Amino acid sequence: MGAFSERIAIVTGASRGIGRAIALELGKRGATVIVNYNASPDAANEVVQMIQAGGTQAMAFKADVSTEEGANELIKAAVDTYGKLDILVNNAGTTRDNVIMMMKAEDFDTVIQTNLRSTWLCSKAAVRTMMRKRYGRIVNVSSISGVMGNAGQTNYSASKAGMIGFTKALAREVASRGITVNAVAPGFVLTDLTKDLPAEITEQLNKNIPLGRWGTVDDVAQATAFLASDDAAYITGHVLVVDGGLAM
Ligand code: NAP
């Protein structure tokens, strides 16, 4: 049995990319994993099957976590099915990149709602049940764009910086209840979200990354699993940058 064998975990947006890798890693370490998805049921079911093949429990759950109803139903599913929730990873996210002059207000709203509002909604629902158990681990997947800012991403950078402020505020609020709240801030990681970046931008980025490569989904999953573990019991309100040295 892994170190997480008694743990019940939710990973939002776990059908693809970084969330998928986090769900697989938590499952590998023995956690029971609720694989949240919105639009990709087949991909989510594949993640569930892979976790189950490793000998731990998992279930897929469809919910649009940017809505209050979706977030509440997701947390309720964990508590109704498994009796508690120990770990919440707020990973679901999206982009609508453009320079500010060209960016539509709806692109701002969509990104804030999907990335930041979902984090607030899911955490609010999760904290209620975690407080009763006096145990919880919340890990928010922010971004280096929220730390440094990124041209063409005023909406996304604002949402990810918002997640960092949220992480620190909630960490202070719930520390006395045995709940830690931390963030990971990945640099550039090849997923569906980043696969269409022009080659010249990719090459330029590589020159600026001291470790000389993009991150992998597993680089982020390892950092997230650490913050979700009992080994990180004395760490809260922290932003763990996983960026190959880009932002230092
Ligand atoms: P991705 O490959 O596009 O995957 C996004 C995931 O989010 C999918 O599983 C998608 O599920 C889910 N999702 C989107 N909207 C949702 C909603 N309303 N409700 C529930 N699930 C939703 O993106 P990624 O690169 O893995 O990014 C994951 C997180 O890492 C994001 O928060 C992103 O901002 C952050 N991040 C990524 C990078 C990078 O370089 N890739 C860097 C820093 C931070 P469905 O397909 O089922 O809708």
Side-chain angles (χ1 to χ4, degrees):
M1 292 298 256
F4 288 63
S5 59
E6 301 296 317
R7 301 291 177 220
I8 311 297
I10 289 176
V11 183
T12 70
S15 47
R16 297 184 284 116
I18 290 171
R20 177 183 194 270
I22 293 169
L24 293 174
E25 184 59 31
L26 295 181
K28 201 197 287 178
R29 296 186 188 205
T32 294
V33 187
I34 292 119
V35 176
N36 163 246
Y37 68 97
N38 187 35
S40 311
D42 293 347
N45 284 326
E46 188 186 292
V47 176
V48 167
Q49 282 164 18
M50 287 172 76
I51 295 171
Q52 288 171 340
T56 50
Q57 295 188 76
M59 66 181 243
F61 194 86
K62 176 177 165 60
D64 176 351
V65 290
S66 68
T67 68
E68 191 160 17
E69 189 190 17
N72 287 344
E73 281 176 2
L74 175 62
I75 305 301
K76 188 172 180 299
V79 178
D80 287 354
T81 311
Y82 301 111
K84 63 170 183 165
L85 175 64
D86 302 299
I87 298 166
L88 169 66
V89 180
N90 287 306
N91 164 81
T94 195
T95 51
R96 297 283 188 281
D97 296 353
N98 217 330
V99 292
I100 194 164
M101 296 285 282
M102 304 294 285
M103 190 180 284
K104 296 192 176 86
E106 68 200 54
D107 293 333
F108 180 83
D109 292 343
T110 299
V111 169
I112 295 290
Q113 281 168 13
T114 307
N115 301 358
L116 181 58
R117 186 173 199 258
S118 66
T119 299
W120 187 87
L121 288 169
C122 290
S123 300
K124 181 181 179 189
V127 154
R128 194 171 296 134
T129 177
M130 287 174 173
M131 274 184 170
R132 262 184 237 125
K133 300 280 181 191
R134 295 199 152 264
Y135 183 90
R137 294 275 182 275
I138 298 176
V139 185
N140 300 319
V141 181
S142 176
S143 167
I144 206 63
S145 300
V147 176
M148 300 169 70
N150 196 17
Q153 290 196 314
T154 50
N155 51 356
Y156 182 79
S157 299
S159 75
K160 294 295 172 178
M163 288 175 76
I164 291 173
F166 169 80
T167 297
K168 294 178 182 181
L170 186 61
R172 290 182 187 277
E173 212 169 293
V174 298
S176 64
R177 310 301 181 95
I179 304 169
T180 66
V181 189
N182 291 290
V184 289
F188 289 89
V189 179
L190 190 61
T191 65
D192 292 342
L193 205 64
T194 49
K195 68 179 174 10
D196 294 329
L197 277 180
E200 61 267 25
I201 293 186
T202 311
E203 278 158 29
Q204 187 56 42
L205 276 170
N206 284 349
K207 286 191 196 129
N208 294 332
I209 300 171
L211 287 178
R213 66 167 176 88
W214 280 38
T216 66
V217 292
D218 288 324
D219 290 327
V220 183
Q222 292 299 328
T224 305
F226 167 66
L227 290 172
S229 75
D230 285 345
D231 292 335
Y234 199 55
I235 301 173
T236 198
H238 187 73
V239 182
L240 182 51
V241 173
V242 185
D243 70 343
L246 177 64
M248 70 180 160

